[in-house]
């Protein structure tokens, strides 16, 4: 009853947000101009705003001409100033936190989070939640489990701005944070994040105690599949934990049901929200098979940096009133949100109240329809060569740095080195194919890859196993060229990359896993 009351309060607190968002969907150009004008007006006095003449910018075209497109490396010097305690740097508003996430060209980025950015996130969360509860009202009357972001312990680094959130409800803030806290099944696993077995056991016990669970929200479906796969092996211990936490009645019910039909363990479950696009499609289908009758809600495109799209009315419209968006087509031409075309693919560029100005998010999206006059987008992948099967975000640049370090540590000749995944729908591991003397240790390889926090989290969860080293006997470059040319690439245009997203390389190279 407490969870249901909290859900109803949360729903009521967002009632105006739904009407506002529906109005914005019908007027994307006007809405985006208002968002940009607000951000420029609020931040004209900060160091970044003064340098780029925010006070004199009147149109989106002037904004695009004054402010260059940026990636994290362009903004990092400004963020370093924030860490040293400088004020009014990227925004006139001081950041409350720096939120760590993985980058495409580096192991970690620190994203400024401000009260304005929090409100921008909230402006998208509101319509999403109202639409969810209206579409599936049964989800209102019980608790939910939300796995929002990895509980990665922050690196020790001097910073005047706190790094990381204490918990994920910090994205909401204010009274809504308190309300949501009453509706969540919240296993406190921060102290267990380095021990995957303890993490899994603790999370499963917390979920099994709640027969009344109505909603499960995760990112990649493999996260939930891994939890479910752990049920049989941990069943006896889990029953003991459930008895201690919920009493003998729930323990007896679970004992009778057994661990192999998860849908029966939570008979009131109504919705599972998860990614369903690109590499997540197979896992989402597996969840649908394991939970017949439970709705699988495809998540929108949400990153640490910005809320790009949200599930709404069976589509995924742009969070048009939250941030200012631009889109790059394959020719490098910029488009406003209202000028996108169905079946065309674009790269997302976003400007936020957290201080990311014309920031290339690195995500590619395809327009699948319109909601009102606003495009609905489907995520199709990351820009560039990025392996991201489970959320690990290993880019070619990161992998090249790892291999360069391993080459530097090697005492012998290195003729070929390439990292590639070996994956199943729920798990995988990365293999370094190495031709040369003295292959590096798998432990060293894994340690270097773990500089990427998202890779670390996937390793801790068991989505990725330990990295391995495959010692190639000979002719690795020739084997690589043959396979790529067989796929249709012209031989003269094939480039040997330090990262391949193709699987199955062990069947092509001669050699063995190095001990």
């Amino acid at each position: 009853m407490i969870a249901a009351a909290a859900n109803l309060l949360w729903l009521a607190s967002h009632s105006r947000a739904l009407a506002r968002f529906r109005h914005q969907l019908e007027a994307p150009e006007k809405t985006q101009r208002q968002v940009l004008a607000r951000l420029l007006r609020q931040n004209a006095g900060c160091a970044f705003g003064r340098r780029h003449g925010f006070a004199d910018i009147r149109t989106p075209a002037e904004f695009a001409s004054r402010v260059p497109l940026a990636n994290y490396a362009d903004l990092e010097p400004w963020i370093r100033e924030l860490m040293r305690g400088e004020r009014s740097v990227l925004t006139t508003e001081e950041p409350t936190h720096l939120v760590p996430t993985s980058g495409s060209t580096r192991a970690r980025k620190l994203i400024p989070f401000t009260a304005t950015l929090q409100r921008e996130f909230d402006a998208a969360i509101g319509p999403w939640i109202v639409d969810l509860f209206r579409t599936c009202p049964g989800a209102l009357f019980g608790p939910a489990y939300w796995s929002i972001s990895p509980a990665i312990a922050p690196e020790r680094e001097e910073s005047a701005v706190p790094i990381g959130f204490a918990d994920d409800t910090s994205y909401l803030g204010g009274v809504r944070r308190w309300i949501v806290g009453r509706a969540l099944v919240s296993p406190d696993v921060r102290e267990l994040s380095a021990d995957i077995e303890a993490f899994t056991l603790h999370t499963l016990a917390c979920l099994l105690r709640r027969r009344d669970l109505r909603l499960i929200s995760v990112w990649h479906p493999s996260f939930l599949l891994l939890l479910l796969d752990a049920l049989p092996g941990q069943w006896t211990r889990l029953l003991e934990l459930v008895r201690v936490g919920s009493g003998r009645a729930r323990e007896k019910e679970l004992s009778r049901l057994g661990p192999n039909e998860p849908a029966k363990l939570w008979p009131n479950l109504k919705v599972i929200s998860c990614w369903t696009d690109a590499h997540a499609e197979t896992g989402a289908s597996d969840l649908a098979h394991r939970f017949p009758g439970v709705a699988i809600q495809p998540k929108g495109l949400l990153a640490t940096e910005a809320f790009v799209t949200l599930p709404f009315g069976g589509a995924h419209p742009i969070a048009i009133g939250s941030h200012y968006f631009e889109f790059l087509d394959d020719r490098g031409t910029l488009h406003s949100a209202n000028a996108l075309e169905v079946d065309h693919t674009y790269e997302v560029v976003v400007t936020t109240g957290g201080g990311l100005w014309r920031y290339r998010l690195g995500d590619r999206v395809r327009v699948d329809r319109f909601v009102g006059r606003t495009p609905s987008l489907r995520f199709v992948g990351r820009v560039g060569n990025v392996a991201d099967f489970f959320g690990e975000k290993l880019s070619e640049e990161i992998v090249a740095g790892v291999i360069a370090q391993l080459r530097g540590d090697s005492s012998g000749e290195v003729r070929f080195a390439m990292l590639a995944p070996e994956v199943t729908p729920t798990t995988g591991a990365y293999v370094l194919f190495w031709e040369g003397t003295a292959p590096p240790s798998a432990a060293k390889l894994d340690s270097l890859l773990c500089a990427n926090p998202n890779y670390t989290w996937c390793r801790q969860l068991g989505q990725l196993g330990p990295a391995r080293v495959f010692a190639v006997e000979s002719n690795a470059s020739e084997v690589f060229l043959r396979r790529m040319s067989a796929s249709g690439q012209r031989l003269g245009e094939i480039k040997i990359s330090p990262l391949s997203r193709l699987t199955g390389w062990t069947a092509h190279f001669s050699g063995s896993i190095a001990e």
Side-chain angles (χ1 to χ4, degrees):
M1 292 300 295
I2 293 175
N7 283 331
L8 288 168
L9 284 172
W10 193 13
L11 183 63
S13 73
H14 284 301
S15 58
R16 292 183 179 178
L18 178 63
R20 181 168 56 250
F21 185 62
R22 282 178 170 165
H23 175 75
Q24 292 169 343
L25 291 174
E26 297 294 338
E29 183 176 12
K30 177 182 177 181
T31 300
Q32 284 284 277
R33 284 179 172 270
Q34 290 173 341
V35 170
L36 179 60
R38 168 178 58 80
L39 291 171
L40 294 172
R41 182 175 62 253
Q42 289 178 353
N43 297 291
C46 73
F48 191 92
R50 292 194 303 271
R51 175 175 294 186
H52 294 92
F54 281 7
D56 300 323
I57 295 176
R58 297 290 180 266
T59 67
E62 290 177 1
F63 178 61
S65 67
R66 293 279 188 93
V67 182
L69 293 172
N71 55 34
Y72 185 77
D74 300 315
L75 296 178
E76 187 174 25
W78 301 86
I79 294 170
R80 290 291 171 187
E81 289 187 26
L82 290 171
M83 297 175 71
R84 291 193 295 268
E86 298 293 330
R87 301 178 68 84
S88 193
V89 179
L90 285 166
T91 58
T92 54
E93 183 179 32
E94 299 309 314
T96 58
H97 293 80
L98 297 173
V99 185
T101 186
S102 293
S104 295
T105 59
R106 59 193 61 237
R108 187 177 78 151
K109 300 182 293 185
L110 295 173
I111 305 302
F113 196 86
T114 64
T116 295
L117 184 59
Q118 184 178 76
R119 289 192 292 271
E120 291 176 351
F121 270 76
D122 200 51
I125 291 171
W128 170 22
I129 294 303
V130 174
D131 183 71
L132 171 64
F133 285 146
R134 290 191 174 190
T135 303
C136 190
L140 266 171
F141 302 106
Y145 170 66
W146 293 73
S147 175
I148 298 180
S149 65
I152 301 168
E155 297 176 10
R156 293 188 178 276
E157 190 168 3
E158 291 295 326
S159 176
V161 182
I163 297 177
F165 285 138
D167 62 75
D168 290 318
T169 58
S170 299
Y171 278 97
L172 299 172
V175 67
R176 287 197 179 103
R177 180 180 180 185
W178 181 89
I179 291 172
V180 171
R182 309 285 80 75
L184 292 184
V185 174
S186 303
D188 186 359
V189 294
R190 284 172 291 170
E191 301 301 321
L192 304 173
S193 60
D195 184 340
I196 183 58
E197 184 174 346
F199 171 89
T200 301
L201 186 71
H202 190 81
T203 301
L204 282 172
C206 185
L207 295 177
L208 287 170
R209 292 184 187 117
R210 299 308 301 258
R211 187 183 191 276
D212 55 345
L213 190 66
R214 299 297 181 107
L215 167 67
I216 294 176
S217 176
V218 296
W219 289 124
H220 199 286
S222 67
F223 175 86
L224 181 54
L225 291 169
L226 286 165
L227 289 177
L228 299 176
D229 289 343
L231 282 169
Q234 299 281 4
W235 193 243
T236 301
R237 178 63 177 143
L238 285 168
L239 292 178
E240 294 173 359
L241 293 173
V242 169
R243 183 179 68 247
V244 172
S246 297
R248 291 188 176 277
R250 178 60 173 159
E251 179 206 12
K252 289 181 179 179
E253 179 185 29
L254 292 172
S255 181
R256 175 176 55 82
L257 293 171
N260 297 317
E261 296 183 76
K264 294 182 178 180
L265 305 179
W266 298 283
N268 299 307
L269 185 64
K270 303 299 181 184
V271 183
I272 297 174
S273 176
C274 64
W275 287 333
T276 62
D277 291 337
H279 297 304
E281 185 175 357
T282 301
S285 297
D286 193 352
L287 283 181
H289 176 73
R290 298 196 198 196
F291 290 92
V294 175
I296 305 295
Q297 184 202 50
K299 273 198 188 302
L301 178 52
L302 169 59
T304 302
E305 296 91 338
F307 210 127
V308 181
T309 69
L310 60 143
F312 189 82
H316 292 87
I318 298 169
I320 200 72
S322 292
H323 319 299
Y324 179 70
F325 295 97
E326 298 167 272
F327 297 87
L328 277 168
D329 65 21
D330 292 336
R331 299 184 301 275
T333 303
L334 276 165
H335 303 265
S336 59
N338 59 287
L340 305 187
E341 298 181 47
V342 171
D343 291 334
H344 285 231
T345 302
Y346 306 90
E347 176 189 345
V348 181
V349 178
V350 65
T351 292
T352 77
L356 300 184
W357 300 99
R358 305 198 73 214
Y359 183 79
R360 299 181 71 161
L361 197 57
D363 290 321
R364 286 174 58 78
V365 295
R366 179 178 292 273
V367 181
D368 60 4
R369 71 187 81 175
F370 280 77
V371 181
R373 297 182 179 180
T374 298
S376 167
L377 309 178
R378 179 186 176 99
F379 172 75
V380 295
R382 297 283 295 170
V383 173
N385 185 14
V386 179
D388 194 15
F389 290 88
F390 303 104
E392 66 272 24
K393 296 183 182 177
L394 285 179
S395 71
E396 180 174 318
E397 291 86 350
I398 290 174
V399 172
V402 169
I403 291 177
Q405 187 163 342
L406 293 173
R407 283 178 179 269
D409 294 340
S410 175
S411 57
E413 180 186 7
V414 181
R415 293 181 292 276
F416 182 92
M418 180 185 74
L419 191 76
E422 296 290 342
V423 299
T424 70
T426 59
T427 60
Y430 280 84
V431 180
L432 176 63
F433 295 90
W434 181 280
E435 184 184 355
T437 56
S441 74
K444 179 64 179 292
L445 169 63
D446 204 53
S447 175
L448 292 174
L449 292 173
C450 280
N452 178 331
N454 285 38
Y455 177 89
T456 299
W457 183 242
C458 291
R459 285 280 290 107
Q460 291 174 351
L461 291 178
Q463 292 170 302
L464 289 174
R468 303 192 297 271
V469 176
F470 186 100
V472 182
E473 291 178 354
S474 61
N475 302 321
S477 296
E478 294 177 20
V479 171
F480 177 87
L481 293 173
R482 280 202 305 271
R483 184 181 184 189
M484 300 312 295
S485 62
S487 69
Q489 294 190 38
R490 290 193 292 181
L491 192 61
E493 297 178 351
I494 298 173
K495 296 178 181 179
I496 297 178
S497 167
L499 172 66
S500 172
R501 288 174 289 176
L502 294 176
T503 61
W505 282 105
T506 53
H508 291 265
F509 292 118
S510 60
S512 60
I513 296 294
E515 297 297 329

